[in-house]
Amino acid sequence: MFTATTDAFTTHPLGEVDNRATYMSFGLAYVLGHGAAAISKGASPLLALPGWLPMMLLGTGLAVGTVYATIAATRAQRVASESEALSGKLLGASWVSAFTALFLAITGLAYTLDMPDLQSMLWPTGSGLVVGLIYLGEGAVRRNLLHYGLGTWLALISTAALFLGTPGLFWVLAIAGGGGYAVATVLEPRRLTARARHAQSPSGMTRKVM
């Protein structure tokens, strides 16, 4: 189901990361995982599904996407400068820190307020917010406007979805979130081509030498 393109891990000029495999995996995770939750939750669910299925679909897609992202970033760091490699490692570590903090925040709120059902709303929206914010940081550091734009989109729709409750928030995440990843997947080859042309241009070569 989650198949990478043949050039998904190619090292591009200036250590550019090809995010297509990651985008496709995360996008399918949003569509299938949140989509399954959308049709099976609420007062009048459209379809009866096992409670574990939406989480399994979402978790599988996110896990595969994380592996692709890690492999691509590792290969890109081989041709990066020492400072760029350090930035990449710190950004990678931020995923662990951010999701650990999210786990503590959601678990603490649910325990303090004695509302265990709160987790079913905060985990999908909170994880979308965290991923969006990390994308913002990665996009800024790597000067990747597409990554930055996707992060902005994910952060905004994930928090706005809280106003809809369940199952509305799952519909927003599945359609708007999955759609955002689909658009990013389509635009990624154009971004890589533009970066390659810039690197080969006289001005780009001059900046690289300097």
Short mmCIF file of all heavy atoms in Angstrom, two decimals, residues 132-162:
data_model
loop_
_atom_site.label_atom_id
_atom_site.label_comp_id
_atom_site.label_asym_id
_atom_site.label_seq_id
_atom_site.Cartn_x
_atom_site.Cartn_y
_atom_site.Cartn_z
N GLY A 132 2.62 19.89 11.99
CA GLY A 132 2.63 21.16 11.26
C GLY A 132 3.70 22.11 11.76
O GLY A 132 4.41 22.74 10.96
N LEU A 133 3.85 22.22 13.07
CA LEU A 133 4.85 23.12 13.64
C LEU A 133 6.27 22.65 13.32
O LEU A 133 7.16 23.47 13.06
CB LEU A 133 4.65 23.25 15.15
CG LEU A 133 3.36 23.95 15.59
CD1 LEU A 133 3.26 23.96 17.11
CD2 LEU A 133 3.30 25.38 15.05
N ILE A 134 6.49 21.34 13.36
CA ILE A 134 7.82 20.82 13.01
C ILE A 134 8.12 21.09 11.54
O ILE A 134 9.24 21.46 11.17
CB ILE A 134 7.91 19.32 13.32
CG1 ILE A 134 7.83 19.09 14.83
CG2 ILE A 134 9.22 18.74 12.79
CD1 ILE A 134 7.83 17.63 15.23
N TYR A 135 7.11 20.91 10.68
CA TYR A 135 7.29 21.23 9.26
C TYR A 135 7.64 22.70 9.07
O TYR A 135 8.44 23.05 8.19
CB TYR A 135 6.01 20.91 8.48
CG TYR A 135 5.85 19.45 8.09
CD1 TYR A 135 6.74 18.48 8.53
CD2 TYR A 135 4.79 19.05 7.29
CE1 TYR A 135 6.59 17.16 8.18
CE2 TYR A 135 4.62 17.72 6.93
CZ TYR A 135 5.52 16.78 7.37
OH TYR A 135 5.37 15.47 7.01
N LEU A 136 7.04 23.57 9.87
CA LEU A 136 7.37 24.99 9.79
C LEU A 136 8.85 25.20 10.09
O LEU A 136 9.54 25.95 9.39
CB LEU A 136 6.52 25.79 10.79
CG LEU A 136 5.05 26.02 10.42
CD1 LEU A 136 4.31 26.66 11.58
CD2 LEU A 136 4.95 26.92 9.19
N GLY A 137 9.33 24.55 11.14
CA GLY A 137 10.74 24.68 11.49
C GLY A 137 11.65 24.11 10.42
O GLY A 137 12.65 24.73 10.04
N GLU A 138 11.32 22.93 9.91
CA GLU A 138 12.13 22.31 8.87
C GLU A 138 12.12 23.15 7.60
O GLU A 138 13.16 23.33 6.95
CB GLU A 138 11.60 20.91 8.57
CG GLU A 138 11.84 19.91 9.68
CD GLU A 138 11.30 18.52 9.34
OE1 GLU A 138 10.48 18.42 8.40
OE2 GLU A 138 11.70 17.56 10.02
N GLY A 139 10.95 23.67 7.24
CA GLY A 139 10.87 24.49 6.04
C GLY A 139 11.69 25.75 6.15
O GLY A 139 12.34 26.18 5.18
N ALA A 140 11.69 26.36 7.33
CA ALA A 140 12.47 27.58 7.53
C ALA A 140 13.96 27.30 7.48
O ALA A 140 14.72 28.04 6.83
CB ALA A 140 12.09 28.23 8.86
N VAL A 141 14.41 26.24 8.14
CA VAL A 141 15.84 25.91 8.18
C VAL A 141 16.35 25.51 6.80
O VAL A 141 17.44 25.91 6.39
CB VAL A 141 16.10 24.79 9.21
CG1 VAL A 141 17.53 24.27 9.10
CG2 VAL A 141 15.84 25.30 10.62
N ARG A 142 15.57 24.71 6.08
CA ARG A 142 16.00 24.20 4.77
C ARG A 142 15.57 25.08 3.61
O ARG A 142 15.76 24.73 2.46
CB ARG A 142 15.45 22.78 4.59
CG ARG A 142 16.03 21.78 5.58
CD ARG A 142 15.31 20.46 5.55
NE ARG A 142 15.93 19.50 6.47
CZ ARG A 142 15.35 18.40 6.91
NH1 ARG A 142 14.12 18.10 6.52
NH2 ARG A 142 15.98 17.59 7.75
N ARG A 143 14.93 26.20 3.93
CA ARG A 143 14.45 27.14 2.90
C ARG A 143 13.54 26.42 1.89
O ARG A 143 13.65 26.60 0.69
CB ARG A 143 15.63 27.82 2.20
CG ARG A 143 16.51 28.63 3.14
CD ARG A 143 17.59 29.38 2.40
NE ARG A 143 18.53 28.47 1.76
CZ ARG A 143 19.54 27.88 2.37
NH1 ARG A 143 19.77 28.10 3.65
NH2 ARG A 143 20.36 27.07 1.73
N ASN A 144 12.66 25.60 2.43
CA ASN A 144 11.73 24.82 1.63
C ASN A 144 10.33 25.41 1.80
O ASN A 144 9.64 25.13 2.80
CB ASN A 144 11.77 23.35 2.09
CG ASN A 144 10.91 22.43 1.24
OD1 ASN A 144 9.96 22.88 0.60
ND2 ASN A 144 11.25 21.16 1.23
N LEU A 145 9.91 26.23 0.86
CA LEU A 145 8.62 26.92 0.96
C LEU A 145 7.45 25.95 0.91
O LEU A 145 6.42 26.17 1.55
CB LEU A 145 8.49 27.96 -0.15
CG LEU A 145 9.47 29.14 -0.09
CD1 LEU A 145 9.23 30.09 -1.26
CD2 LEU A 145 9.33 29.89 1.23
N LEU A 146 7.58 24.87 0.13
CA LEU A 146 6.50 23.89 0.04
C LEU A 146 6.30 23.20 1.39
O LEU A 146 5.16 23.04 1.85
CB LEU A 146 6.83 22.86 -1.05
CG LEU A 146 5.81 21.71 -1.22
CD1 LEU A 146 4.44 22.27 -1.56
CD2 LEU A 146 6.28 20.74 -2.30
N HIS A 147 7.38 22.79 2.02
CA HIS A 147 7.31 22.15 3.34
C HIS A 147 6.74 23.13 4.37
O HIS A 147 5.91 22.75 5.21
CB HIS A 147 8.72 21.72 3.75
CG HIS A 147 8.76 20.52 4.64
ND1 HIS A 147 8.27 19.28 4.26
CD2 HIS A 147 9.25 20.35 5.90
CE1 HIS A 147 8.46 18.41 5.23
NE2 HIS A 147 9.04 19.04 6.25
N TYR A 148 7.17 24.37 4.29
CA TYR A 148 6.68 25.40 5.21
C TYR A 148 5.18 25.64 5.01
O TYR A 148 4.43 25.76 5.99
CB TYR A 148 7.45 26.70 4.97
CG TYR A 148 7.20 27.78 6.00
CD1 TYR A 148 8.01 27.91 7.12
CD2 TYR A 148 6.15 28.69 5.84
CE1 TYR A 148 7.78 28.90 8.06
CE2 TYR A 148 5.90 29.67 6.77
CZ TYR A 148 6.72 29.79 7.89
OH TYR A 148 6.48 30.77 8.81
N GLY A 149 4.76 25.71 3.75
CA GLY A 149 3.34 25.91 3.46
C GLY A 149 2.48 24.75 3.94
O GLY A 149 1.40 24.95 4.48
N LEU A 150 2.97 23.52 3.74
CA LEU A 150 2.24 22.35 4.21
C LEU A 150 2.13 22.36 5.73
O LEU A 150 1.07 22.04 6.29
CB LEU A 150 2.93 21.07 3.74
CG LEU A 150 2.30 19.75 4.19
CD1 LEU A 150 0.86 19.63 3.71
CD2 LEU A 150 3.14 18.56 3.69
N GLY A 151 3.21 22.75 6.40
CA GLY A 151 3.16 22.84 7.86
C GLY A 151 2.15 23.86 8.35
O GLY A 151 1.42 23.61 9.32
N THR A 152 2.09 24.99 7.68
CA THR A 152 1.11 26.02 8.03
C THR A 152 -0.31 25.48 7.87
O THR A 152 -1.17 25.67 8.75
CB THR A 152 1.30 27.26 7.15
OG1 THR A 152 2.63 27.76 7.30
CG2 THR A 152 0.31 28.35 7.51
N TRP A 153 -0.55 24.81 6.76
CA TRP A 153 -1.87 24.24 6.48
C TRP A 153 -2.28 23.21 7.54
O TRP A 153 -3.39 23.25 8.07
CB TRP A 153 -1.86 23.62 5.09
CG TRP A 153 -3.14 22.93 4.68
CD1 TRP A 153 -3.34 21.60 4.51
CD2 TRP A 153 -4.39 23.56 4.38
NE1 TRP A 153 -4.63 21.34 4.12
CE2 TRP A 153 -5.31 22.53 4.02
CE3 TRP A 153 -4.83 24.89 4.36
CZ2 TRP A 153 -6.62 22.80 3.67
CZ3 TRP A 153 -6.17 25.14 4.01
CH2 TRP A 153 -7.03 24.11 3.67
N LEU A 154 -1.37 22.29 7.86
CA LEU A 154 -1.68 21.25 8.84
C LEU A 154 -1.94 21.84 10.23
O LEU A 154 -2.86 21.41 10.94
CB LEU A 154 -0.53 20.25 8.91
CG LEU A 154 -0.31 19.36 7.69
CD1 LEU A 154 0.94 18.51 7.86
CD2 LEU A 154 -1.52 18.48 7.43
N ALA A 155 -1.13 22.82 10.62
CA ALA A 155 -1.32 23.43 11.94
C ALA A 155 -2.67 24.14 12.04
O ALA A 155 -3.36 24.04 13.06
CB ALA A 155 -0.18 24.42 12.22
N LEU A 156 -3.06 24.83 10.98
CA LEU A 156 -4.32 25.59 11.01
C LEU A 156 -5.54 24.68 10.97
O LEU A 156 -6.48 24.85 11.76
CB LEU A 156 -4.36 26.56 9.83
CG LEU A 156 -3.37 27.74 9.90
CD1 LEU A 156 -3.44 28.58 8.64
CD2 LEU A 156 -3.66 28.61 11.12
N ILE A 157 -5.55 23.69 10.06
CA ILE A 157 -6.75 22.84 9.96
C ILE A 157 -6.89 21.94 11.18
O ILE A 157 -8.00 21.62 11.60
CB ILE A 157 -6.74 22.00 8.67
CG1 ILE A 157 -5.60 20.99 8.69
CG2 ILE A 157 -6.69 22.88 7.44
CD1 ILE A 157 -5.73 19.92 7.63
N SER A 158 -5.77 21.52 11.76
CA SER A 158 -5.84 20.63 12.92
C SER A 158 -6.45 21.33 14.12
O SER A 158 -7.25 20.74 14.85
CB SER A 158 -4.43 20.12 13.27
OG SER A 158 -3.90 19.34 12.22
N THR A 159 -6.08 22.59 14.33
CA THR A 159 -6.64 23.32 15.46
C THR A 159 -8.07 23.79 15.17
O THR A 159 -8.92 23.78 16.06
CB THR A 159 -5.75 24.52 15.81
OG1 THR A 159 -5.45 25.25 14.61
CG2 THR A 159 -4.43 24.05 16.42
N ALA A 160 -8.34 24.18 13.93
CA ALA A 160 -9.70 24.61 13.58
C ALA A 160 -10.68 23.45 13.67
O ALA A 160 -11.87 23.65 13.97
CB ALA A 160 -9.71 25.20 12.17
N ALA A 161 -10.21 22.23 13.44
CA ALA A 161 -11.09 21.06 13.47
C ALA A 161 -11.69 20.82 14.85
O ALA A 161 -12.73 20.18 14.98
CB ALA A 161 -10.33 19.82 13.02
N LEU A 162 -11.05 21.35 15.90
CA LEU A 162 -11.56 21.16 17.26
C LEU A 162 -12.95 21.78 17.44
O LEU A 162 -13.71 21.34 18.30
CB LEU A 162 -10.59 21.78 18.27
CG LEU A 162 -9.32 20.97 18.56
CD1 LEU A 162 -8.33 21.81 19.35
CD2 LEU A 162 -9.67 19.69 19.32
#
